[in-house]
């Protein structure tokens, strides 16, 4: 997938036309505390980056696409907000401070499945103990991708219980993705042990 080209051609069906509804639900649940450090890997042009910055979180967004990062920079400037933006490969990045939260929106399902274990290792390293991996696990039955399916069975293998505390009673909330045939994303917070 040539992500830069997709942004340049505006061929971005994964984008939602408004904020992901999980944002207000997690905000009501107290997940987003002002001053917390939140990382958005593969932020693309998602408006959640500006929104979380406006809530007072210290946001870092990175993406392979210069175009997407430039778009985020312009949106921040329009609002007079500041966040750390990095154009580059997520898997070569190291935070200057431990991270409280990772907001995972259509990044895990976008990367080649062969990179998933690398991503899990990075997420574990980036987060402080007790930090939250805000998961939106994409559910689909078709083979191939992106988006690639993130079944809970596969996610349990990827995020093992000796490294991650899973939501009690597997309490994930489904959010249909309106621009991806209503494929459900399962939202839940995993805690780094
Ligand atoms: C499906 S898009 C999702 C974008 C955004 N999260 C959203 O929900 O609109 C996947 C994003 O991951 C970025 N990406 C893919 N591989 C990456 C990598 N290795 N490092 C950083 N960004 C990457 C792409 O450029 C793209 O913006």
């Amino acid at each position: 997938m040539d992500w830069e080209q997709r942004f340049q051609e505006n061929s971005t069906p994964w984008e939602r036309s408004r904020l992901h509804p999980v944002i207000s639900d997690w905000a009501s649940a107290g997940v987003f505390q002002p001053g917390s450090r939140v990382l958005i890997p593969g932020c693309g042009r998602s408006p959640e980056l500006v929104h979380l910055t406006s809530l007072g979180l210290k946001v870092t967004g990175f993406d392979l696409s210069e175009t997407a990062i430039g778009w985020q920079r312009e949106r921040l400037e329009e609002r007079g907000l500041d966040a750390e933006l990095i154009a580059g490969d997520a898997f070569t990045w190291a935070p200057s401070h431990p991270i409280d939260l990772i907001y995972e929106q259509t990044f895990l399902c976008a990367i080649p499945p062969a990179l998933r274990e690398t991503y899990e290792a990075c997420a574990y390293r980036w987060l402080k103990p007790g930090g939250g991996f805000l998961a939106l696990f994409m559910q689909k039955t078709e083979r191939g991708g992106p988006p690639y399916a993130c079944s809970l069975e596969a996610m349990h293998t990827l995020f093992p219980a000796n490294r991650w505390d899973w939501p009690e009673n597997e309490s994930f909330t489904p959010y249909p993705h309106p621009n991806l045939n209503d494929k459900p994303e399962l939202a839940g917070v995993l805690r780094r042990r």
Side-chain angles (χ1 to χ4, degrees):
M1 175 74 83
D2 185 336
W3 296 103
E4 175 60 22
Q5 187 179 1
R6 297 296 290 266
F7 284 108
Q8 286 185 12
E9 293 175 353
N10 259 323
S11 172
T12 52
W14 58 83
E15 291 184 346
R16 290 168 176 265
S17 47
R18 54 190 64 177
L19 277 184
H20 197 302
V22 78
I23 292 284
S24 59
D25 292 346
W26 275 337
S28 302
V31 171
F32 300 122
Q33 294 299 315
S36 297
R37 292 186 181 278
V38 60
L39 174 69
I40 309 183
C43 58
R45 300 188 297 195
S46 92
E48 289 76 14
L49 187 146
V50 171
H51 183 73
L52 292 179
T53 308
S54 76
L55 295 183
L57 284 89
K58 295 181 178 146
V59 177
T60 299
F62 52 70
D63 203 285
L64 281 178
S65 163
E66 297 270 0
T67 299
I69 289 296
W71 186 94
Q72 294 287 7
R73 188 169 295 112
E74 284 173 22
R75 299 293 86 72
L76 286 165
E77 282 169 10
E78 281 168 6
R79 299 278 304 273
L81 296 169
D82 192 31
E84 183 181 26
L85 296 174
I86 301 162
D89 184 355
F91 304 123
T92 61
W93 180 78
S96 51
H97 300 84
I99 301 291
D100 298 295
L101 299 169
I102 295 175
Y103 180 65
E104 157 52 55
Q105 180 178 301
T106 51
F107 180 63
L108 177 58
C109 69
I111 59 174
L115 282 177
R116 285 183 172 183
E117 286 178 13
T118 303
Y119 181 33
E120 187 275 339
C122 285
Y124 188 82
R125 207 168 53 239
W126 295 333
L127 281 171
K128 57 174 68 161
F133 184 85
L134 309 182
L136 286 163
F137 292 138
M138 175 70 70
Q139 306 300 298
K140 57 177 281 211
T141 49
E142 308 93 317
R143 296 171 70 90
Y148 297 97
C150 299
S151 71
L152 286 186
E153 190 187 358
M155 295 301 99
H156 269 289
T157 304
L158 186 63
F159 296 95
N162 62 338
R163 286 160 69 84
W164 302 90
D165 287 327
W166 277 64
E168 260 180 54
N169 307 320
E170 294 283 299
S171 53
F172 285 88
T173 307
Y175 291 87
H177 195 308
N179 299 337
L180 294 177
N181 300 327
D182 282 339
K183 289 184 187 16
E185 295 172 290
L186 296 183
V189 181
L190 276 58
R191 293 276 165 197
R192 181 226 197 266
R193 295 187 63 134

